[in-house]
Amino acid sequence: MDTLNGNILSSPPYKDLTKVYDLIYYDGPLLSHFKDAKKDNILYLWVDNDGQYNRWLIFKVSDFSLYKYLKNIDSLRDLVLDPSEDFIFTADVDQSLTYSNINLFPKNEYHLLGDYIPEEGVMFSADVPDAYSFFADSFDENLYLAELKKRAVYFKIKAALRPSVSSKFGSVVPVKVVNDFLDAITKSYKNFSHYSFLEDLKDSFSTQEKLQKAAKSVVNGIEPLFVDVQQSSFSFGISNDVWSIKTDIKAVKPWSNEILKRYKDEVIEIDYNSEEEVSSILKKYDLKERRSIFKPIFDVISDTGYSVHTSDSTYKALKDIKPPSLRTSNRIIKPKQEDLVALEPQKKKLVNIVVEIPEGGEVKDLGKKKINDGLLFSTDVTKLTPAIDQLMASERTYVFARPLVYELEFDDNIYYIDYRPLNFSIQVENKDQIDSSLAKLIDDLYQELNHKADLSDEESSKKAHLDEIIQDVVPTES
Amino acid sequence: MTVKYKYAQKIEELELGDSCPPEDTSFEERQAYRFTNEDIGDSSNFIPQGIAKPARINSKQDNNVKCKLISGLSMYSTKTLALRRFSSFTKQVKKKLGYTHLAKGVVGTGDGRVTRIGKDGHFTLFELDSCDLTQKFVIIETLP
């Protein structure tokens, strides 16, 4: 076994342990759960052995961390590195249950444990064992909310000391004010998250389409949740659920963990009277981005009838949120004349038309006048199912045995393309990108599946579908 | 008719008596998957941990645990569940276990008693003395 260089202890770190369950077992326990006298969760992960000893990594975990591991939300590495705990132990245990070579590793020495610390991405990979079903259910109800509250940003809206406001409602805040504020926070936070995701994680995705798709999915997943409220001066907590995000991209989770705090620091509590901060905003975001992130907040915190404060969950340590000066606000969000057109691009819609054309003629040959003359009727559509006979990728053209029918949705000037048999969704901003994006996707997938040795069940099914629909692959003529 | 278990002597030495194999096991025919070395004929593929690495047994373990360690072999009911479980092992655990391949076989009523199948597809086989799993299992793929 490897020599360890931790801090040697003379006795086991946790005593009076009662076995709860072997979470992972193969010919013997590999990960065992115990409770100590204080009912704390102590886990033993088998990491090494020789003829005389088994070496265990011993660590304490919170109920919530264990819950997240069992629900396949967090990895074993997340569990071992539970941020609420400051130490990990190792011990060599022999047949008589004598502990020796007991080492303590504080957080800043975890690197000394090398491969004993689980690598990224190793999940529990099974259903919650029956022994934990009650435990998991109770989390679903209570501790989930408690954890959301723990990471929440708290706000307090107070009626300003102005007769026109306070004499009418006292300290009570009208619903509309609250509603406007929540609406503004939601918009601003989601836009901030969206632009931050695109910028911060652009190197984690192989294509722009994948980045855009992930941004949409993750930002929806971490939308602000209303988790706590107090009456009187209106106080509330807003949090986000970072545990339900499903992604294979490792950088997404730590990014999600930080985004709400970053929003608080970079948008809400920022000092708008600091030239340095304002310059940083101007440098970081373009006007469209600035308006989508900062304008909703400026609108609500500039309402002089009310003051906005951030706080902790006790609502005691209030921090005043000061609106920017008019000059600063204009610098950040007021469009110049030449920007106005760019800010509000013409919104488009799709129209399905039935038009009469001469036999042997083609639609593309029709001019505007002939279309008008031959128009039988038209109707607005947002969804349709186009069919294509072939797709031309850069090097290869795919000819289909039968038309490939996909779903096309048009919303807010974005085209959303879904092809369910291959389980893909892409989005493009321009109609001219539809065929080329589809072709690239089919080409990449077809080539990948044809050159991969071991296919998963899902990949085999996709390959079978492609083989069925593709009649011929020919070189694309340049 | 009395049956003789493969590790009866060890069971006796640990004074596990009639509690090993446990009462809630049965003779059943089952499809089974097990992690092994590349050579299925290598007898170390089917040796209980408590025999191969006696240190894994300790005095504080209850009889059920001792019984499984000294005479039980882990199996999975499906290939999917076996591979899913293997993915939950850390790199270090995989290295220490040393298994590189997935083998498949059918465990018959004449091979021994089996536990109920857990939610993760795991069950334990307690082999009879006559059972030779090297003849019953074949390698089906390399483990990731």
Side-chain angles (χ1 to χ4, degrees), chain B residues 70-121:
Chain B
I70 203 72
S71 63
L73 291 173
S74 284
M75 309 263 171
Y76 291 91
S77 56
T78 71
K79 175 184 159 185
T80 303
L81 289 172
L83 291 176
R84 195 176 289 168
R85 203 25 137 188
F86 192 73
S87 76
S88 74
F89 297 174
T90 67
K91 194 169 60 181
Q92 176 69 10
V93 166
K94 287 175 185 173
K95 188 174 103 183
K96 294 308 295 184
L97 289 175
Y99 295 129
T100 54
H101 287 71
L102 181 66
K104 175 186 175 183
V106 175
V107 173
T109 52
D111 293 320
R113 297 180 76 100
V114 289
T115 60
R116 278 181 301 160
I117 298 170
K119 268 191 163 178
D120 60 354

Short mmCIF file of all heavy atoms in Angstrom, two decimals, chain B residues 70-121:
data_model
loop_
_atom_site.label_atom_id
_atom_site.label_comp_id
_atom_site.label_asym_id
_atom_site.label_seq_id
_atom_site.Cartn_x
_atom_site.Cartn_y
_atom_site.Cartn_z
N ILE B 70 -16.85 -15.06 3.22
CA ILE B 70 -16.06 -16.30 3.20
C ILE B 70 -16.55 -17.29 2.15
O ILE B 70 -15.80 -18.15 1.69
CB ILE B 70 -16.07 -16.97 4.62
CG1 ILE B 70 -14.86 -17.88 4.80
CG2 ILE B 70 -17.35 -17.74 4.87
CD1 ILE B 70 -13.58 -17.14 4.94
N SER B 71 -17.83 -17.14 1.74
CA SER B 71 -18.36 -18.17 0.82
C SER B 71 -19.25 -17.64 -0.28
O SER B 71 -19.80 -18.42 -1.05
CB SER B 71 -19.14 -19.22 1.63
OG SER B 71 -20.26 -18.62 2.24
N GLY B 72 -19.39 -16.33 -0.39
CA GLY B 72 -20.30 -15.78 -1.39
C GLY B 72 -19.58 -15.13 -2.55
O GLY B 72 -18.47 -14.61 -2.42
N LEU B 73 -20.22 -15.20 -3.72
CA LEU B 73 -19.69 -14.53 -4.92
C LEU B 73 -20.75 -13.56 -5.43
O LEU B 73 -21.92 -13.92 -5.58
CB LEU B 73 -19.39 -15.56 -6.01
CG LEU B 73 -18.23 -16.51 -5.75
CD1 LEU B 73 -18.18 -17.57 -6.86
CD2 LEU B 73 -16.90 -15.75 -5.69
N SER B 74 -20.33 -12.33 -5.73
CA SER B 74 -21.26 -11.33 -6.24
C SER B 74 -21.57 -11.58 -7.71
O SER B 74 -20.68 -11.88 -8.50
CB SER B 74 -20.66 -9.93 -6.08
OG SER B 74 -20.75 -9.52 -4.74
N MET B 75 -22.83 -11.41 -8.05
CA MET B 75 -23.30 -11.58 -9.44
C MET B 75 -24.32 -10.47 -9.72
O MET B 75 -24.88 -9.88 -8.78
CB MET B 75 -24.03 -12.92 -9.62
CG MET B 75 -23.28 -14.12 -9.11
SD MET B 75 -22.42 -14.91 -10.45
CE MET B 75 -21.42 -16.09 -9.59
N TYR B 76 -24.58 -10.24 -10.99
CA TYR B 76 -25.64 -9.30 -11.37
C TYR B 76 -26.63 -10.00 -12.29
O TYR B 76 -26.26 -10.90 -13.04
CB TYR B 76 -25.05 -8.06 -12.05
CG TYR B 76 -24.28 -7.22 -11.06
CD1 TYR B 76 -22.92 -7.43 -10.86
CD2 TYR B 76 -24.92 -6.28 -10.27
CE1 TYR B 76 -22.22 -6.70 -9.93
CE2 TYR B 76 -24.23 -5.55 -9.32
CZ TYR B 76 -22.88 -5.76 -9.15
OH TYR B 76 -22.21 -5.05 -8.20
N SER B 77 -27.87 -9.54 -12.21
CA SER B 77 -28.93 -10.22 -12.94
C SER B 77 -28.98 -9.85 -14.42
O SER B 77 -29.51 -10.62 -15.22
CB SER B 77 -30.28 -9.90 -12.30
OG SER B 77 -30.47 -8.49 -12.26
N THR B 78 -28.47 -8.68 -14.79
CA THR B 78 -28.45 -8.30 -16.22
C THR B 78 -27.12 -7.65 -16.54
O THR B 78 -26.43 -7.13 -15.66
CB THR B 78 -29.57 -7.29 -16.58
OG1 THR B 78 -29.26 -6.02 -16.01
CG2 THR B 78 -30.94 -7.75 -16.11
N LYS B 79 -26.84 -7.64 -17.83
CA LYS B 79 -25.60 -7.01 -18.28
C LYS B 79 -25.64 -5.51 -18.00
O LYS B 79 -24.65 -4.92 -17.54
CB LYS B 79 -25.44 -7.28 -19.79
CG LYS B 79 -24.26 -6.61 -20.43
CD LYS B 79 -24.27 -6.86 -21.94
CE LYS B 79 -23.43 -5.82 -22.65
NZ LYS B 79 -23.49 -5.95 -24.10
N THR B 80 -26.79 -4.89 -18.29
CA THR B 80 -26.91 -3.44 -18.09
C THR B 80 -26.64 -3.06 -16.64
O THR B 80 -25.89 -2.12 -16.36
CB THR B 80 -28.32 -2.97 -18.49
OG1 THR B 80 -28.53 -3.35 -19.84
CG2 THR B 80 -28.47 -1.47 -18.35
N LEU B 81 -27.27 -3.81 -15.72
CA LEU B 81 -27.08 -3.48 -14.31
C LEU B 81 -25.65 -3.75 -13.85
O LEU B 81 -25.09 -3.01 -13.03
CB LEU B 81 -28.09 -4.25 -13.45
CG LEU B 81 -29.54 -3.77 -13.60
CD1 LEU B 81 -30.50 -4.70 -12.87
CD2 LEU B 81 -29.70 -2.34 -13.08
N ALA B 82 -25.05 -4.80 -14.41
CA ALA B 82 -23.65 -5.09 -14.05
C ALA B 82 -22.74 -3.94 -14.49
O ALA B 82 -21.90 -3.46 -13.71
CB ALA B 82 -23.22 -6.40 -14.70
N LEU B 83 -22.93 -3.50 -15.72
CA LEU B 83 -22.07 -2.43 -16.23
C LEU B 83 -22.35 -1.11 -15.51
O LEU B 83 -21.44 -0.31 -15.25
CB LEU B 83 -22.27 -2.25 -17.74
CG LEU B 83 -21.75 -3.42 -18.58
CD1 LEU B 83 -22.08 -3.21 -20.05
CD2 LEU B 83 -20.23 -3.58 -18.41
N ARG B 84 -23.62 -0.90 -15.19
CA ARG B 84 -23.96 0.34 -14.46
C ARG B 84 -23.25 0.34 -13.10
O ARG B 84 -22.72 1.33 -12.67
CB ARG B 84 -25.48 0.42 -14.29
CG ARG B 84 -25.97 1.77 -13.89
CD ARG B 84 -27.47 1.81 -13.82
NE ARG B 84 -28.11 1.75 -15.12
CZ ARG B 84 -29.39 1.54 -15.32
NH1 ARG B 84 -30.20 1.35 -14.28
NH2 ARG B 84 -29.90 1.50 -16.52
N ARG B 85 -23.28 -0.82 -12.44
CA ARG B 85 -22.64 -0.89 -11.14
C ARG B 85 -21.13 -0.72 -11.26
O ARG B 85 -20.49 -0.05 -10.44
CB ARG B 85 -22.97 -2.24 -10.47
CG ARG B 85 -22.87 -2.25 -8.98
CD ARG B 85 -23.03 -0.91 -8.41
NE ARG B 85 -23.86 -0.83 -7.24
CZ ARG B 85 -24.22 0.33 -6.71
NH1 ARG B 85 -23.86 1.48 -7.27
NH2 ARG B 85 -24.94 0.39 -5.63
N PHE B 86 -20.58 -1.32 -12.31
CA PHE B 86 -19.12 -1.19 -12.49
C PHE B 86 -18.74 0.28 -12.66
O PHE B 86 -17.67 0.71 -12.21
CB PHE B 86 -18.68 -2.00 -13.72
CG PHE B 86 -17.19 -2.16 -13.82
CD1 PHE B 86 -16.51 -3.01 -12.96
CD2 PHE B 86 -16.46 -1.46 -14.76
CE1 PHE B 86 -15.12 -3.16 -13.03
CE2 PHE B 86 -15.08 -1.60 -14.85
CZ PHE B 86 -14.40 -2.44 -13.97
N SER B 87 -19.64 1.05 -13.29
CA SER B 87 -19.35 2.47 -13.49
C SER B 87 -19.35 3.24 -12.18
O SER B 87 -18.88 4.37 -12.12
CB SER B 87 -20.34 3.10 -14.47
OG SER B 87 -21.58 3.31 -13.83
N SER B 88 -19.90 2.65 -11.12
CA SER B 88 -19.91 3.35 -9.83
C SER B 88 -18.64 3.06 -9.02
O SER B 88 -18.46 3.59 -7.94
CB SER B 88 -21.15 2.97 -9.01
OG SER B 88 -21.00 1.67 -8.48
N PHE B 89 -17.78 2.18 -9.55
CA PHE B 89 -16.50 1.91 -8.87
C PHE B 89 -15.51 3.00 -9.27
O PHE B 89 -15.43 3.37 -10.45
CB PHE B 89 -15.92 0.56 -9.30
CG PHE B 89 -16.75 -0.65 -8.94
CD1 PHE B 89 -16.38 -1.91 -9.39
CD2 PHE B 89 -17.89 -0.54 -8.16
CE1 PHE B 89 -17.13 -3.03 -9.07
CE2 PHE B 89 -18.66 -1.65 -7.84
CZ PHE B 89 -18.28 -2.89 -8.31
N THR B 90 -14.73 3.46 -8.33
CA THR B 90 -13.70 4.44 -8.67
C THR B 90 -12.55 3.74 -9.39
O THR B 90 -12.41 2.51 -9.33
CB THR B 90 -13.13 5.12 -7.40
OG1 THR B 90 -12.42 4.13 -6.66
CG2 THR B 90 -14.23 5.72 -6.55
N LYS B 91 -11.72 4.56 -10.02
CA LYS B 91 -10.54 4.02 -10.72
C LYS B 91 -9.70 3.19 -9.75
O LYS B 91 -9.20 2.12 -10.10
CB LYS B 91 -9.75 5.22 -11.23
CG LYS B 91 -8.69 4.94 -12.24
CD LYS B 91 -8.18 6.24 -12.85
CE LYS B 91 -7.59 7.17 -11.79
NZ LYS B 91 -7.10 8.45 -12.28
N GLN B 92 -9.57 3.68 -8.53
CA GLN B 92 -8.76 3.00 -7.53
C GLN B 92 -9.35 1.65 -7.15
O GLN B 92 -8.64 0.65 -7.03
CB GLN B 92 -8.61 3.91 -6.29
CG GLN B 92 -7.87 3.30 -5.12
CD GLN B 92 -6.38 3.09 -5.40
OE1 GLN B 92 -5.84 3.57 -6.39
NE2 GLN B 92 -5.72 2.37 -4.51
N VAL B 93 -10.68 1.63 -6.97
CA VAL B 93 -11.34 0.38 -6.62
C VAL B 93 -11.19 -0.63 -7.76
O VAL B 93 -10.90 -1.81 -7.54
CB VAL B 93 -12.82 0.62 -6.27
CG1 VAL B 93 -13.60 -0.68 -6.23
CG2 VAL B 93 -12.94 1.33 -4.92
N LYS B 94 -11.38 -0.15 -9.00
CA LYS B 94 -11.23 -1.06 -10.15
C LYS B 94 -9.82 -1.64 -10.18
O LYS B 94 -9.62 -2.82 -10.46
CB LYS B 94 -11.49 -0.29 -11.45
CG LYS B 94 -12.97 0.05 -11.68
CD LYS B 94 -13.10 0.90 -12.94
CE LYS B 94 -14.53 1.36 -13.14
NZ LYS B 94 -14.68 2.32 -14.23
N LYS B 95 -8.84 -0.77 -9.89
CA LYS B 95 -7.45 -1.23 -9.90
C LYS B 95 -7.22 -2.31 -8.84
O LYS B 95 -6.59 -3.33 -9.10
CB LYS B 95 -6.53 -0.03 -9.65
CG LYS B 95 -5.06 -0.32 -9.84
CD LYS B 95 -4.24 0.94 -9.72
CE LYS B 95 -3.56 1.00 -8.37
NZ LYS B 95 -2.79 2.23 -8.16
N LYS B 96 -7.77 -2.08 -7.66
CA LYS B 96 -7.54 -3.02 -6.57
C LYS B 96 -8.29 -4.34 -6.81
O LYS B 96 -7.80 -5.41 -6.48
CB LYS B 96 -7.97 -2.42 -5.23
CG LYS B 96 -7.15 -1.24 -4.77
CD LYS B 96 -5.66 -1.50 -4.75
CE LYS B 96 -5.24 -2.56 -3.75
NZ LYS B 96 -3.76 -2.70 -3.70
N LEU B 97 -9.50 -4.26 -7.37
CA LEU B 97 -10.24 -5.50 -7.66
C LEU B 97 -9.56 -6.25 -8.79
O LEU B 97 -9.53 -7.48 -8.80
CB LEU B 97 -11.69 -5.18 -8.04
CG LEU B 97 -12.61 -4.70 -6.91
CD1 LEU B 97 -13.98 -4.32 -7.47
CD2 LEU B 97 -12.77 -5.75 -5.83
N GLY B 98 -9.06 -5.52 -9.76
CA GLY B 98 -8.26 -6.13 -10.82
C GLY B 98 -9.04 -6.75 -11.97
O GLY B 98 -8.44 -7.30 -12.89
N TYR B 99 -10.37 -6.69 -11.93
CA TYR B 99 -11.14 -7.34 -12.99
C TYR B 99 -11.15 -6.49 -14.26
O TYR B 99 -11.27 -5.26 -14.20
CB TYR B 99 -12.57 -7.59 -12.53
CG TYR B 99 -12.64 -8.57 -11.38
CD1 TYR B 99 -13.36 -8.27 -10.23
CD2 TYR B 99 -11.98 -9.79 -11.45
CE1 TYR B 99 -13.42 -9.16 -9.18
CE2 TYR B 99 -12.04 -10.69 -10.39
CZ TYR B 99 -12.75 -10.37 -9.26
OH TYR B 99 -12.80 -11.25 -8.23
N THR B 100 -11.09 -7.16 -15.39
CA THR B 100 -11.01 -6.45 -16.67
C THR B 100 -12.11 -6.83 -17.64
O THR B 100 -12.29 -6.19 -18.66
CB THR B 100 -9.66 -6.77 -17.36
OG1 THR B 100 -9.53 -8.20 -17.44
CG2 THR B 100 -8.50 -6.19 -16.58
N HIS B 101 -12.85 -7.91 -17.34
CA HIS B 101 -13.83 -8.41 -18.30
C HIS B 101 -15.17 -8.72 -17.63
O HIS B 101 -15.23 -8.91 -16.41
CB HIS B 101 -13.30 -9.67 -19.00
CG HIS B 101 -12.23 -9.36 -19.99
ND1 HIS B 101 -10.95 -8.96 -19.61
CD2 HIS B 101 -12.23 -9.36 -21.35
CE1 HIS B 101 -10.23 -8.73 -20.68
NE2 HIS B 101 -10.98 -8.97 -21.76
N LEU B 102 -16.20 -8.77 -18.47
CA LEU B 102 -17.52 -9.15 -17.98
C LEU B 102 -17.83 -10.55 -18.52
O LEU B 102 -17.69 -10.80 -19.73
CB LEU B 102 -18.58 -8.16 -18.48
CG LEU B 102 -20.01 -8.44 -18.02
CD1 LEU B 102 -20.13 -8.28 -16.50
CD2 LEU B 102 -21.00 -7.49 -18.71
N ALA B 103 -18.21 -11.43 -17.62
CA ALA B 103 -18.54 -12.80 -18.02
C ALA B 103 -20.01 -13.07 -17.75
O ALA B 103 -20.63 -12.48 -16.87
CB ALA B 103 -17.67 -13.79 -17.25
N LYS B 104 -20.55 -14.00 -18.56
CA LYS B 104 -21.97 -14.32 -18.45
C LYS B 104 -22.13 -15.83 -18.30
O LYS B 104 -21.39 -16.60 -18.93
CB LYS B 104 -22.66 -13.85 -19.72
CG LYS B 104 -24.12 -14.20 -19.86
CD LYS B 104 -24.59 -13.78 -21.25
CE LYS B 104 -26.02 -14.21 -21.50
NZ LYS B 104 -26.46 -13.86 -22.87
N GLY B 105 -23.10 -16.22 -17.50
CA GLY B 105 -23.35 -17.64 -17.36
C GLY B 105 -24.73 -17.86 -16.77
O GLY B 105 -25.46 -16.91 -16.47
N VAL B 106 -25.10 -19.12 -16.65
CA VAL B 106 -26.37 -19.45 -16.00
C VAL B 106 -26.04 -20.24 -14.74
O VAL B 106 -25.32 -21.25 -14.79
CB VAL B 106 -27.29 -20.27 -16.92
CG1 VAL B 106 -28.55 -20.70 -16.16
CG2 VAL B 106 -27.67 -19.46 -18.15
N VAL B 107 -26.54 -19.73 -13.63
CA VAL B 107 -26.34 -20.43 -12.36
C VAL B 107 -27.55 -21.32 -12.15
O VAL B 107 -28.70 -20.85 -12.16
CB VAL B 107 -26.22 -19.41 -11.21
CG1 VAL B 107 -26.17 -20.13 -9.89
CG2 VAL B 107 -25.00 -18.55 -11.41
N GLY B 108 -27.33 -22.63 -12.01
CA GLY B 108 -28.45 -23.55 -11.89
C GLY B 108 -28.76 -23.93 -10.45
O GLY B 108 -28.01 -23.57 -9.53
N THR B 109 -29.85 -24.67 -10.32
CA THR B 109 -30.26 -25.07 -8.97
C THR B 109 -29.23 -26.02 -8.33
O THR B 109 -29.20 -26.17 -7.12
CB THR B 109 -31.64 -25.75 -9.00
OG1 THR B 109 -31.59 -26.78 -9.97
CG2 THR B 109 -32.73 -24.76 -9.37
N GLY B 110 -28.43 -26.62 -9.18
CA GLY B 110 -27.42 -27.54 -8.63
C GLY B 110 -26.11 -26.85 -8.30
O GLY B 110 -25.13 -27.50 -7.91
N ASP B 111 -26.07 -25.53 -8.47
CA ASP B 111 -24.81 -24.82 -8.24
C ASP B 111 -24.71 -24.19 -6.86
O ASP B 111 -23.61 -23.89 -6.39
CB ASP B 111 -24.62 -23.73 -9.30
CG ASP B 111 -24.43 -24.32 -10.68
OD1 ASP B 111 -23.72 -25.34 -10.78
OD2 ASP B 111 -25.00 -23.77 -11.65
N GLY B 112 -25.85 -23.92 -6.27
CA GLY B 112 -25.79 -23.33 -4.94
C GLY B 112 -27.01 -22.47 -4.66
O GLY B 112 -27.98 -22.47 -5.43
N ARG B 113 -26.96 -21.78 -3.53
CA ARG B 113 -28.10 -20.94 -3.13
C ARG B 113 -27.81 -19.50 -3.52
O ARG B 113 -26.66 -19.06 -3.51
CB ARG B 113 -28.32 -21.03 -1.62
CG ARG B 113 -28.69 -22.41 -1.13
CD ARG B 113 -28.89 -22.42 0.37
NE ARG B 113 -30.15 -21.82 0.76
CZ ARG B 113 -31.25 -22.51 1.08
NH1 ARG B 113 -31.25 -23.83 1.04
NH2 ARG B 113 -32.35 -21.89 1.43
N VAL B 114 -28.88 -18.77 -3.84
CA VAL B 114 -28.72 -17.36 -4.22
C VAL B 114 -29.58 -16.47 -3.33
O VAL B 114 -30.64 -16.89 -2.85
CB VAL B 114 -29.11 -17.12 -5.71
CG1 VAL B 114 -28.07 -17.71 -6.63
CG2 VAL B 114 -30.49 -17.66 -6.02
N THR B 115 -29.11 -15.25 -3.14
CA THR B 115 -29.91 -14.27 -2.39
C THR B 115 -30.92 -13.63 -3.34
O THR B 115 -30.85 -13.80 -4.55
CB THR B 115 -29.02 -13.15 -1.81
OG1 THR B 115 -28.37 -12.50 -2.90
CG2 THR B 115 -27.99 -13.69 -0.85
N ARG B 116 -31.83 -12.85 -2.77
CA ARG B 116 -32.76 -12.09 -3.62
C ARG B 116 -31.97 -11.06 -4.41
O ARG B 116 -30.89 -10.61 -3.99
CB ARG B 116 -33.80 -11.38 -2.75
CG ARG B 116 -34.95 -12.29 -2.34
CD ARG B 116 -35.95 -11.54 -1.52
NE ARG B 116 -35.31 -11.01 -0.31
CZ ARG B 116 -35.82 -10.01 0.41
NH1 ARG B 116 -36.93 -9.43 0.05
NH2 ARG B 116 -35.19 -9.58 1.49
N ILE B 117 -32.53 -10.64 -5.54
CA ILE B 117 -31.84 -9.65 -6.38
C ILE B 117 -32.13 -8.25 -5.82
O ILE B 117 -33.29 -7.89 -5.60
CB ILE B 117 -32.33 -9.75 -7.83
CG1 ILE B 117 -32.00 -11.14 -8.39
CG2 ILE B 117 -31.70 -8.67 -8.70
CD1 ILE B 117 -32.62 -11.45 -9.74
N GLY B 118 -31.05 -7.49 -5.58
CA GLY B 118 -31.23 -6.14 -5.05
C GLY B 118 -31.61 -5.16 -6.13
O GLY B 118 -31.66 -5.50 -7.32
N LYS B 119 -31.91 -3.91 -5.73
CA LYS B 119 -32.33 -2.89 -6.69
C LYS B 119 -31.25 -2.61 -7.72
O LYS B 119 -31.54 -2.16 -8.82
CB LYS B 119 -32.66 -1.60 -5.96
CG LYS B 119 -34.11 -1.47 -5.56
CD LYS B 119 -34.37 -0.06 -5.08
CE LYS B 119 -35.85 0.22 -5.08
NZ LYS B 119 -36.15 1.56 -4.58
N ASP B 120 -30.00 -2.87 -7.33
CA ASP B 120 -28.91 -2.62 -8.29
C ASP B 120 -28.59 -3.87 -9.11
O ASP B 120 -27.62 -3.90 -9.84
CB ASP B 120 -27.65 -2.14 -7.56
CG ASP B 120 -27.13 -3.16 -6.55
OD1 ASP B 120 -27.81 -4.19 -6.33
OD2 ASP B 120 -26.05 -2.92 -5.97
N GLY B 121 -29.45 -4.90 -8.99
CA GLY B 121 -29.26 -6.12 -9.78
C GLY B 121 -28.32 -7.12 -9.13
O GLY B 121 -28.09 -8.21 -9.67
#
